[in-house]
Amino acid sequence: MSDAKHPQPADRRDFLVKLGVGAGFVAITAQAGASLRSLVPNVTYDAPTTVKVGPPGEFPDGLKFLPDERLFVFRDGKTFHAISAVCTHLGCTVRAEALARPEEATVQGQTLRLTHRFMCPCHGSRYKGDGSNVSGPAPTPLPWVPPVVSPDDGQLVVDLADEVDSSFRLTIP
C-alpha cells in the first residue's frame, strides 16, 4: 500500500512501456530525418562554369563559335574577347550571321571591328556584333565573359558565370 510519504517503486511493466514508447519515438524521428535528407541531392549536375577553350593559337582571326560552351570567341591579332551565345530572353542559343561589310563601332570608348550580328532563332531577338540588343523580346545585351590564359598550360580559360564590361580585352604578348 502506498501513501503520499512513501511512493510505490515503479514496476517492471511501467519501465518497459516507457522504454517502448521512447524507442518508437526515436525510430520515427530517425525515419523522418532520413526522409527529409533524401530530398537534398548529394550531387549537382550543373556544368562547370570555368572551362578551358583551347590554346590561343588555335583560334582564327575573327569569330569562332564553341557550341559546347555556347560561346563566341573573337580574335583580332593577339587580342581576344568572348561573348556568351545564350539569349537573354529565354536562354536559346543565338547564331552568328556574317555582315556583308565589316563595321567599325565604338564600344565603351574602344574601337571594335564588327564582322557579325547575332539572331535568336527562338523568338527573333537581334543583337549587334558587340552583343547589344537591337530588337525583339531580349531585355538585355549578350553578356561578355573574360578569357584569361591558364598559367599551367597556356590555354584560354573562360568563366561563363563571370560577366565583364564590353570594354574588356585580353592581349597576349
Side-chain angles (χ1 to χ4, degrees):
M1 187 182 297
S2 79
D3 57 9
K5 289 184 179 181
H6 303 296
Q8 185 177 8
D11 62 356
R12 186 185 313 179
R13 178 174 288 178
D14 288 341
F15 172 74
L16 291 176
V17 167
K18 289 178 183 178
L19 182 66
V21 168
F25 179 75
V26 167
I28 289 172
T29 303
Q31 184 61 43
S35 296
L36 290 174
R37 175 63 183 100
S38 72
L39 298 175
V40 179
N42 292 331
V43 143
T44 178
Y45 296 102
D46 295 336
T49 61
T50 303
V51 292
K52 289 188 176 185
V53 295
E58 288 185 4
F59 289 88
D61 270 350
L63 167 74
K64 182 175 182 180
F65 176 61
L66 304 172
D68 291 340
E69 291 80 17
R70 298 186 351 159
L71 183 70
F72 295 107
V73 177
F74 295 85
R75 179 180 183 180
D76 186 12
K78 294 184 176 190
T79 303
F80 293 84
H81 70 274
I83 299 177
S84 173
V86 178
C87 181
T88 58
H89 176 229
L90 291 177
C92 295
T93 302
V94 299
R95 61 176 187 246
E97 293 182 347
L99 296 173
R101 287 182 310 223
E103 300 173 356
E104 295 278 326
T106 303
V107 179
Q108 298 208 1
Q110 294 188 12
T111 303
L112 183 65
R113 185 172 177 258
L114 305 178
T115 58
H116 292 79
R117 66 179 174 198
F118 305 109
M119 295 186 61
C120 179
C122 296
H123 301 104
S125 292
R126 294 176 174 264
Y127 302 89
K128 290 182 184 178
D130 64 352
S132 59
N133 49 332
V134 177
S135 66
T140 57
L142 294 173
W144 285 45
V145 293
V148 295
V149 176
S150 173
D152 58 343
D153 59 3
Q155 291 193 47
L156 286 179
V157 177
V158 177
D159 184 355
L160 300 171
D162 186 16
E163 189 173 333
V164 293
D165 280 340
S166 56
S167 63
F168 181 88
R169 305 286 186 284
L170 169 68
T171 303
I172 298 176

